[in-house]
Amino acid sequence: MTGRGATPETILSLFAAHGDKFSARNLATAAHRVAKFGGRNRDMRRDRRVIEAPQLFSAIACAASSRLGEFNSQELANTAWAFAKAGIEAPQLFAAIADVALSRLDEFNPQALANTAWAFATAGIEAPQLFAAIADVAVSRLDEFNPQALANTAWAFATAGIEAPQLFAAIADVAPSRLDAFNPQELANTAWAFATVAGIEAPQLFAAIADVAPSRLDAFNPQNLANTAWAFATAGIEAPELFAAIADVAPSRLDAFNPQNLANTAWAFATVAGIEAPQLFATIADVAPSRLDAFNPQNLANTAWAFATAGVEAPQLFEAIAAAAPSRLGEFNPQDLANTTWAFATADIEAPELFEAIAAAAPSRLGEFNPQELANTAWAFATAGIEAPQLFAAIADVAPSRLGAFNPQELANTAWAFATAGIEAPELFAVIADVAPSRLDVFNPQNLANTAWAFATAGIEAHQLFGAIAAAAPSRLGEFNPQDLANTTWAFATAGIEAHQLFEAIAGAAHSRLGAFNPQELANTAWAFATVGIEAPELFAAIADVAPSRLDAFNPQNLANTAWAFATAGIEAPELFAAIADVAPSRLDAFNPQNIANTAWAFATAGIEAPELFAAIADVAPSRLGEFNPQNLANTAWAFATAGIEAPPLFTAIAEAAPLWLGECNPQALVNTAWAFATAGIEAPRLFAAIAEAAPLWLGECNPQALVNTAWAFATAGIEAPRLFSAIAEASISQLDEFNPQALTNTAWAFAKAGIEAPQLFAAIAGAALSRLDEFNPQNLANTAWAFACVDWKKDFGFFAELASIVVNDLDSFDDRHSSQLHLASLHFRLVWPDYRNFPLTNHKQMLLAAYQRQDPSPSQLQRDVATALDRIGWTHVFEHVTEEGLSLDMAQPDIKRAVEVDGPSHYLNRTRIENGPTRFKSRLLWRLGWDVVCIPFFEWDVLDGEREQDSYLRSRLQTFATARA
């Protein structure tokens, strides 16, 4: 009734009139012929009519369902094929065919088996029992299958998601030798099927397809080309010749590729490592933007992912995707969302609106994200520098309970992302710290380095994790790239973790590879070793060799950190410092305050003269001091003072800024600031007063060196601060066991210079020093003797005697200045204890006196002016008289032992007369020698106007001597 010559129109009319009389064969043939002419299939030649006959198919389905027992195997297969081909939904019919076919599969020929499987897969009908039965029957009969049947069977099982390992293994054995007879679609579908079914490896089959396909690619349609590339990429099969051939053929035909083909082709080439196809990617980038409206979300995401993964720049394509995606994010699944963000971040494409839309869309759906999608999303936002606190907070809530399923890369990237974004997530970091240590053996070097870097950057304490990394890393350092090595050292140094074996191993591994380090890595490596105090002279020497020629590529922080590291480590590198000194001045505008301060500090600490660099810093810094933190200000002042660089405007600016920042200073910064101003000889009374006022709050935190330096600074600057000195004395006494000889000496010297009597402190210093005098150098011995004499030490001549006995053993090593101090100390001893006959320095009195007399008194102009005025009023005098003890006096009358002194006996500060220790010491010695002295402070003389006032002033002063006898 429906013979071979029957046209679709004939069949339609016949069925309308006589459908109830159609046999099983007629029903099957009718469905088959109408489906072959079209149904819903539009892939027909233009000279064929496409006939849609849903009513006919519906009628056939009704008629056939109750009569399937009459259908033979071919008719069952054809009927299923026809409905699938026509795209007609007939679930009841397919269910009935499945039931009938199960018991009769032995009657099916290979084509019928293949067509049945193809039909159920195409129609999307689940029939696991039928597929399992087909698989069992087909395995033993594959030799009878033609290429189409083999390809369709594999495709059907893959499309239906049916695992049939024995069937696929059998096809993989049979197919390779017969591939010459496969047409392009059969080759493509076979590859696609094996790639789609998880767990099926068929390297020989893929290799055979890779051999056969390249010469036949001209006959592949777009779908075949895309599916073949996709299949090999998904299966992880390297086939460079095949991919090269596809890359040659595809570009000229991309206009015929649908969106899925375009996306899959790009994805495949990006997925297969080492395959470069610039022309193919360039053509896709040209073709795709105008067609993005037809791309589904996965196509959009995969296309972006592919270009980012392949490292192909396509700004216009990314721009088009960024414009197309936001309005459709509701259709994106988690993988699409994650891949899109990852792609834009990896390609370094700015798309703030897209990221904001994803940040808004993703949080409510994070429960559907798998570990990789969570990690990649966080990584992408951090890499792109997009602030998304709500998204990060949501990830931090979701992730901890699922970290057991994260692989090493995902754990490391998640930690890295939160650290980079500056998001606090203590619970998340705590769980990573718990999970990671037991799995470090499967972390790759980058994972290890990034995890350490993340915890260090986030400031999270994780001693157990760092300990595990320190144990795991050394044996694998050969796999670390320069960035991994540098980041690992930086992380441990930043976290303050001692890991000597790790650092020693890194020093050995890095030394020979420094040529591959970029500037940041060189600087960070040096900084890390310096920060943890690990000696690595060979590594530093190698960095010093490599770095100078590359300094133009160093950013300001790299320059500053490199200098700081070498200075901190105490490594001499004059050529490196010279090169930094040449490069830095012209770039100081780009230095931040810490860079400026650290650079100055480094050069000062290393003792490197760099006048142009310091001059440039002195020019740049004052206008930017508002940006400096207290430590930066203190370090800058300290550096200029240590380097001996005069920069009054800079010091003045620092002093003027003091009220704004002193309250934020740590003790060391306050001490260094005072020390710097004293060393530089810069008057800053308000600054010193503020430091002195704040001292009681911080002196208890000071180490011995800080206590000593504070006292030294105030004494040197001539600042009266009795409360400060009292507090220093109290704090020092309990710590003297920790003072080295220099500290003991400087403390005594400072109190003596400031004219502060601190009997308990001096007694404690004497006790601490007595057993250690053999460790004192000549300067320490001389300063200590002078200081005790200066404060009129009369408690115990035994200490003086012991000190002097040490001195005489090495007296030839003392210079004139130190010998002069010893002369004064010896004179004090003889005047205080005249009955002591065996003072060790007595036998050297003339030598010490000669040294003292060689000191130039250097009379001032004021002294000359006062002498002239004294002559006017009849005070006859010797302008500069030297006593037999070597003491020099201004305008003296030796016969009656009276004198008028200017300048020396007093110190001028803020028009307040302050008698310092040395002045008081000299006055005390003169008094004990029988002299009376009147002091003329120069600031008092300075305010007098004219000779009459000066003469009147002098007469009144001479009536009462400053040193009156009891």
Side-chain angles (χ1 to χ4, degrees), residues 564-916:
W564 181 93
F566 275 77
T568 300
I571 302 293
E572 293 185 7
E575 291 183 11
L576 173 61
F577 275 96
I580 293 173
D582 286 341
V583 169
S586 62
R587 299 171 61 187
L588 285 178
D589 288 339
F591 279 50
N592 65 30
Q594 187 169 15
N595 300 153
I596 292 172
N598 281 2
T599 302
W601 181 92
F603 275 78
T605 300
I608 302 293
E609 293 185 6
E612 291 183 8
L613 173 61
F614 276 97
I617 292 173
D619 286 342
V620 167
S623 63
R624 297 178 59 189
L625 290 182
E627 307 167 36
F628 280 52
N629 64 30
Q631 187 73 46
N632 300 151
L633 290 165
N635 282 1
T636 303
W638 182 92
F640 274 77
T642 301
I645 303 293
E646 294 184 5
L650 173 61
F651 277 94
T652 300
I654 292 174
E656 289 175 353
L660 301 176
W661 57 269
L662 279 179
E664 305 169 26
C665 275
N666 61 39
Q668 190 65 51
L670 290 167
V671 172
N672 284 0
T673 303
W675 181 92
F677 275 77
T679 301
I682 302 293
E683 292 187 5
R686 289 178 59 213
L687 172 63
F688 277 96
I691 293 174
E693 186 176 351
L697 301 175
W698 52 264
L699 273 178
E701 305 172 35
C702 285
N703 59 32
Q705 188 68 46
L707 291 169
V708 173
N709 283 1
T710 304
W712 183 92
F714 275 78
T716 301
I719 303 295
E720 187 175 12
R723 286 181 61 237
L724 172 63
F725 276 95
S726 177
I728 293 173
E730 184 177 348
S732 297
I733 289 173
S734 63
Q735 297 187 54
L736 285 181
D737 288 344
E738 303 173 38
F739 280 44
N740 61 31
Q742 184 77 43
L744 291 169
T745 297
N746 283 4
T747 302
W749 180 92
F751 275 78
K753 179 74 165 59
I756 302 293
E757 294 183 2
Q760 288 183 323
L761 174 62
F762 275 87
I765 292 174
L770 197 56
S771 62
R772 301 174 61 188
L773 287 176
D774 57 343
E775 302 173 33
F776 282 45
N777 63 31
Q779 183 176 7
N780 298 152
L781 292 167
N783 281 359
T784 302
W786 177 88
F788 274 78
C790 188
V791 297
D792 200 22
W793 181 255
K794 295 184 286 190
K795 183 177 180 181
D796 180 10
F797 64 80
F799 174 66
F800 264 114
E802 184 65 26
L803 181 61
S805 67
I806 299 290
V807 167
V808 296
N809 291 331
D810 198 18
L811 206 54
D812 292 341
S813 62
F814 286 74
D815 61 22
D816 278 356
R817 185 167 66 86
H818 298 143
S819 294
S820 296
Q821 289 177 303
L822 291 173
H823 168 68
L824 293 176
S826 180
L827 181 57
H828 165 78
F829 188 93
R830 295 198 307 272
L831 291 172
V832 173
W833 291 290
D835 296 332
Y836 189 92
R837 303 298 180 188
N838 298 317
F839 187 56
L841 289 176
T842 302
N843 295 333
H844 305 278
K845 180 169 64 173
Q846 291 306 316
M847 185 192 81
L848 298 177
L849 174 60
Y852 186 78
Q853 288 176 330
R854 285 194 290 271
Q855 303 297 303
D856 183 7
S858 301
S860 66
Q861 184 59 47
L862 175 62
Q863 183 178 335
R864 299 180 192 281
D865 293 342
V866 173
T868 300
L870 287 171
D871 286 337
R872 280 199 308 269
I873 65 172
W875 173 275
T876 57
H877 61 274
V878 178
F879 179 71
E880 195 73 50
H881 174 70
V882 179
T883 72
E884 62 181 72
E885 296 83 11
L887 299 174
S888 174
L889 293 106
D890 303 345
M891 289 77 72
Q893 294 179 331
D895 294 341
I896 59 174
K897 286 194 173 182
R898 293 183 176 180
V900 176
E901 286 222 350
V902 295
D903 287 344
S906 304
H907 182 72
Y908 169 65
L909 179 65
N910 264 7
R911 296 201 173 276
T912 301
R913 181 182 172 191
I914 298 174
E915 192 175 56
N916 60 23

Side-chain angles (χ1 to χ4, degrees), residues 418-678:
F418 275 78
T420 301
I423 302 293
E424 294 184 6
E427 185 183 348
L428 174 63
F429 276 96
V431 179
I432 293 174
D434 287 340
V435 169
S438 62
R439 300 171 60 190
L440 290 181
D441 55 339
V442 291
F443 276 52
N444 65 30
Q446 187 174 25
N447 300 153
L448 289 169
N450 281 1
T451 301
W453 182 93
F455 275 78
T457 300
I460 302 292
E461 291 187 5
H463 294 286
Q464 195 172 5
L465 173 60
F466 275 97
I469 293 173
S475 63
R476 300 176 60 191
L477 291 180
E479 308 166 39
F480 280 52
N481 64 31
Q483 185 175 24
D484 299 334
L485 290 169
N487 280 1
T488 302
T489 54
W490 182 93
F492 275 77
T494 300
I497 303 293
E498 292 185 5
H500 289 275
Q501 290 183 332
L502 173 61
F503 273 85
E504 288 170 6
I506 290 174
H511 179 272
S512 61
R513 299 168 60 189
L514 289 177
F517 279 52
N518 66 30
Q520 180 86 37
E521 292 153 6
L522 288 170
N524 280 3
T525 302
W527 180 90
F529 275 80
T531 298
V532 298
I534 301 290
E535 292 185 6
E538 292 183 2
L539 175 62
F540 275 95
I543 293 172
D545 286 341
V546 168
S549 62
R550 300 171 60 188
L551 289 181
D552 287 339
F554 279 50
N555 65 30
Q557 182 153 11
N558 300 154
L559 290 169
N561 280 2
T562 302
W564 181 93
F566 275 77
T568 300
I571 302 293
E572 293 185 7
E575 291 183 11
L576 173 61
F577 275 96
I580 293 173
D582 286 341
V583 169
S586 62
R587 299 171 61 187
L588 285 178
D589 288 339
F591 279 50
N592 65 30
Q594 187 169 15
N595 300 153
I596 292 172
N598 281 2
T599 302
W601 181 92
F603 275 78
T605 300
I608 302 293
E609 293 185 6
E612 291 183 8
L613 173 61
F614 276 97
I617 292 173
D619 286 342
V620 167
S623 63
R624 297 178 59 189
L625 290 182
E627 307 167 36
F628 280 52
N629 64 30
Q631 187 73 46
N632 300 151
L633 290 165
N635 282 1
T636 303
W638 182 92
F640 274 77
T642 301
I645 303 293
E646 294 184 5
L650 173 61
F651 277 94
T652 300
I654 292 174
E656 289 175 353
L660 301 176
W661 57 269
L662 279 179
E664 305 169 26
C665 275
N666 61 39
Q668 190 65 51
L670 290 167
V671 172
N672 284 0
T673 303
W675 181 92
F677 275 77

Side-chain angles (χ1 to χ4, degrees), residues 65-360:
S65 294
S66 61
R67 299 172 60 189
L68 289 177
E70 305 171 25
F71 283 52
N72 63 29
S73 58
Q74 187 69 43
E75 292 159 358
L76 286 170
N78 284 358
T79 302
W81 181 92
F83 275 79
K85 179 74 172 174
I88 301 297
E89 293 184 6
Q92 292 179 334
L93 174 63
F94 275 96
I97 292 172
D99 287 341
V100 171
L102 266 173
S103 61
R104 297 170 60 186
L105 288 179
D106 290 341
E107 306 170 19
F108 281 54
N109 64 29
Q111 186 174 10
L113 288 169
N115 283 359
T116 301
W118 182 92
F120 274 78
T122 301
I125 302 296
E126 293 185 7
Q129 290 180 320
L130 175 62
F131 274 98
I134 293 173
D136 288 342
V137 171
V139 167
S140 61
R141 298 173 61 187
L142 287 181
D143 288 340
E144 307 169 36
F145 279 54
N146 64 26
Q148 185 178 27
L150 287 170
N152 281 1
T153 301
W155 181 93
F157 275 77
T159 301
I162 302 295
E163 293 184 5
Q166 289 182 327
L167 174 62
F168 275 92
I171 294 173
D173 287 340
V174 168
S177 62
R178 300 170 61 188
L179 289 180
D180 287 340
F182 278 53
N183 67 30
Q185 185 163 9
E186 291 157 5
L187 288 170
N189 282 1
T190 301
W192 181 90
F194 274 80
T196 301
V197 176
I200 301 296
E201 293 184 5
Q204 291 180 328
L205 172 61
F206 276 99
I209 294 172
D211 286 341
V212 168
S215 62
R216 300 169 62 186
L217 288 181
D218 287 339
F220 278 52
N221 65 28
Q223 182 86 35
N224 300 153
L225 289 170
N227 280 2
T228 302
W230 181 91
F232 275 77
T234 300
I237 302 295
E238 293 184 6
E241 292 182 9
L242 172 62
F243 274 90
I246 294 173
D248 286 341
V249 168
S252 62
R253 300 169 62 187
L254 287 180
D255 286 337
F257 278 50
N258 64 29
Q260 184 81 39
N261 300 154
L262 289 170
N264 281 1
T265 302
W267 181 91
F269 275 80
T271 300
V272 176
I275 301 296
E276 293 184 5
Q279 187 179 356
L280 173 62
F281 275 99
T283 310
I284 293 173
D286 287 341
V287 168
S290 62
R291 299 169 61 188
L292 290 182
D293 288 343
F295 277 52
N296 64 30
Q298 187 173 26
N299 299 154
L300 289 170
N302 282 1
T303 302
W305 182 92
F307 275 78
T309 301
V312 175
E313 294 185 6
Q316 290 181 325
L317 172 61
F318 276 96
E319 188 177 324
I321 294 172
S327 62
R328 299 176 60 188
L329 289 181
E331 307 167 38
F332 279 51
N333 63 32
Q335 185 174 22
D336 300 334
L337 290 169
N339 281 0
T340 302
T341 54
W342 182 91
F344 275 78
T346 301
D348 195 20
I349 301 294
E350 293 185 6
E353 292 182 6
L354 172 61
F355 275 91
E356 288 170 10
I358 292 172

Side-chain angles (χ1 to χ4, degrees), residues 354-394:
L354 172 61
F355 275 91
E356 288 170 10
I358 292 172
S364 62
R365 301 174 60 188
L366 289 179
E368 308 166 36
F369 280 52
N370 65 30
Q372 184 175 25
E373 291 153 7
L374 288 169
N376 281 2
T377 301
W379 180 91
F381 274 80
T383 301
I386 301 294
E387 294 185 5
Q390 291 180 326
L391 173 61
F392 276 96

